[in-house]
Amino acid sequence: MFIRPHKPTAEPYTRHSLRDLGYQIDPDDGQVRNISTNEPFAFTEDPARKKANIELYNSLVHPASRAVLDIMTDTLHMEPIAVPNAGQPHCFIYATPGALSGDKLVVLVVGNGTFGGVWAWNILLKQGIHHGSVIDYVRDCEQRGLGVLVLNPNMNIVAPDGVAESYNSYVGRGTEIKGSETADEHVGYVWSHMLRNSPVRSIAFVTYSTSGSAVIDLLKYDYERFVEKTACVAFIDSTHSLFDLGSGSIAWLELGARHWETSVSGNSTSVDRVGCPVVAADNTTESREMTPSLCRNGVVEYVTECIERGPVPDAIEFGDGQNNAANLAQLIDDLSGSDSDGADGIPDRLSNVTMNQTFEVKEDGYIGWD
């Protein structure tokens, strides 16, 4: 006899603000502080208080995240843009003034589970907005004259009261957001409907953790239009894979991407790795999730330099259907101004890569998002 699994009934969902719970984000240091005591939030490991601390932590996660969004709109004057549109179930992405009508744009994409604008919930609560959110990235990019767009890949459903929520943290009835049913689809939707035909001429993506795979999909399935507009991708502790990438895509990653990986050695050094140059991001803290904050200066400097240069020259002419490793090596030599250093003219870090992938795509681009 088949027994259907019991589905728990969601309890009435009340959205509290940080102030409702007795906390606020300090305007001076960005810490989440108790309003009465002015003490920053601290997770106590005392066994006698463990349950209470977990409950407090869980109750503060969403209000603190919404407070970050409030800072983005009220203090940084970022514009919330409905995706797909305000006339149907939607989530919001956030753009600095004139970002989508200018020439230069940085697109920030957070990893799994969190609200748009938050790198990691635990870092936001324990270390504040300067380490746990994209706030400082936005400010640094704006100071360099770059527009910024913050995506919201984890808001995939809308609750009955019309507020976008995440599958990871919301229990109850919800309506899927068209085009944002998953994080990857959200990134693909924004690219195909807002970015690839926009006036922006030079785009840099900054991706954290799982969001790197979504940008790899853009490169894989919409190669020509992607490399025509994209100056670079800065991966941070990314989980993306090179599986099924064509030779053109791998060549582009060699020249148009850099990957910051957490290192506990105390040194920030370059690492030779297939796919794109890797930087060992110095992070000697107890939390791997601190890496986006700790490598911020290097990432912003890199994307600024690439955006000023513009999209990788001549990459579109190489195409992603070429499967000849010698052509790949020649492209890298031509664009980098150096000679290949491996056998048969193939760079050492590409010598073990099989260049035999081809893809069948629609005439108007890649699969699934148009």
Side-chain angles (χ1 to χ4, degrees):
M1 178 179 177
F2 176 76
I3 301 176
R4 292 184 180 275
H6 173 68
K7 293 184 178 180
T9 302
E11 298 179 0
Y13 192 75
T14 303
R15 291 183 178 83
H16 295 288
S17 69
L18 268 183
R19 187 167 287 275
D20 291 337
L21 300 173
Y23 284 80
Q24 66 179 0
I25 293 181
D26 191 299
D28 296 322
D29 63 11
Q31 292 271 18
V32 177
R33 292 184 179 273
N34 185 294
I35 294 174
S36 299
T37 66
N38 202 38
E39 292 295 319
F41 171 82
F43 190 90
T44 304
E45 297 293 344
D46 181 357
R49 297 187 56 193
K50 185 176 181 179
K51 182 178 179 180
N53 270 274
I54 292 175
E55 291 176 350
L56 176 60
Y57 173 89
N58 290 336
S59 71
L60 293 175
V61 162
H62 284 191
S65 299
R66 285 192 287 270
V68 169
L69 300 181
D70 290 340
I71 293 172
M72 288 165 55
T73 55
D74 299 343
T75 304
L76 301 182
H77 307 294
M78 300 187 78
E79 175 190 0
I81 302 171
V83 175
N85 60 66
Q88 58 183 303
H90 61 272
C91 63
F92 288 105
I93 60 177
Y94 299 85
T96 54
L100 296 179
S101 58
D103 290 337
K104 306 166 185 176
L105 179 68
V106 177
V107 181
L108 302 176
V109 196
V110 299
N112 181 55
T114 62
F115 283 40
V118 177
W119 295 125
W121 281 329
N122 63 327
I123 302 302
L124 174 63
L125 289 180
K126 296 175 183 178
Q127 303 292 338
I129 62 172
H130 297 303
H131 294 291
S133 82
V134 304
I135 296 293
D136 286 356
Y137 273 84
V138 175
R139 285 176 170 152
D140 285 355
C141 290
E142 278 204 291
Q143 289 174 1
R144 289 162 172 78
L146 307 175
V148 181
L149 182 66
V150 178
L151 303 196
N152 206 355
N154 302 306
M155 299 295 107
N156 311 121
I157 56 175
V158 169
D161 61 358
V163 177
E165 291 286 354
S166 169
Y167 281 118
N168 293 315
S169 55
Y170 178 74
V171 178
R173 292 183 297 112
T175 304
E176 285 190 333
I177 298 172
K178 184 179 179 180
S180 294
E181 293 88 346
T182 67
D184 288 3
E185 288 173 298
H186 174 83
V187 174
Y189 185 93
V190 173
W191 166 255
S192 62
H193 290 80
M194 299 180 179
L195 295 180
R196 73 179 182 192
N197 295 319
S198 71
V200 180
R201 293 189 294 179
S202 188
I203 299 175
F205 287 89
V206 178
T207 75
Y208 176 51
S209 185
T210 54
S211 63
S213 63
V215 175
I216 287 291
D217 280 349
L218 304 183
L219 177 65
K220 181 191 299 184
Y221 297 123
D222 199 15
Y223 178 81
E224 289 191 2
R225 288 185 286 195
F226 183 83
V227 301
E228 190 175 36
K229 266 193 183 292
T230 305
C232 69
V233 179
F235 298 106
I236 304 172
D237 274 343
S238 179
T239 60
H240 70 270
S241 169
L242 301 183
F243 179 73
D244 268 357
L245 282 186
S247 56
S249 294
I250 294 178
W252 189 90
L253 287 171
E254 284 281 322
L255 299 160
R258 190 169 295 175
H259 189 183
W260 277 261
E261 289 187 350
T262 296
S263 168
V264 296
S265 66
N267 296 305
S268 293
T269 57
S270 296
V271 180
D272 208 18
R273 190 78 56 77
V274 170
C276 66
V278 174
V279 178
D282 180 15
N283 181 356
T284 56
T285 71
E286 296 180 354
S287 300
R288 187 185 184 96
E289 295 90 345
M290 281 286 289
T291 297
S293 169
L294 297 175
C295 68
R296 187 185 83 245
N297 291 338
V299 170
V300 172
E301 181 180 345
Y302 170 70
V303 300
T304 302
E305 178 183 329
C306 291
I307 284 180
E308 294 298 335
R309 177 207 64 204
V312 174
D314 301 326
I316 193 171
E317 296 179 9
F318 183 71
D320 202 41
Q322 300 290 337
N323 299 313
N324 186 300
N327 287 346
L328 171 60
Q330 186 60 54
L331 175 68
I332 294 174
D333 286 348
D334 291 344
L335 299 184
S336 65
S338 62
D339 293 328
S340 296
D341 51 7
D344 301 321
I346 302 173
D348 285 341
R349 60 178 170 272
L350 298 177
S351 59
N352 295 320
V353 178
T354 301
M355 307 299 173
N356 60 358
Q357 304 298 334
T358 59
F359 305 97
E360 182 179 349
V361 298
K362 298 190 299 183
E363 290 183 359
D364 64 343
Y366 47 90
I367 300 169
W369 294 312
D370 289 325

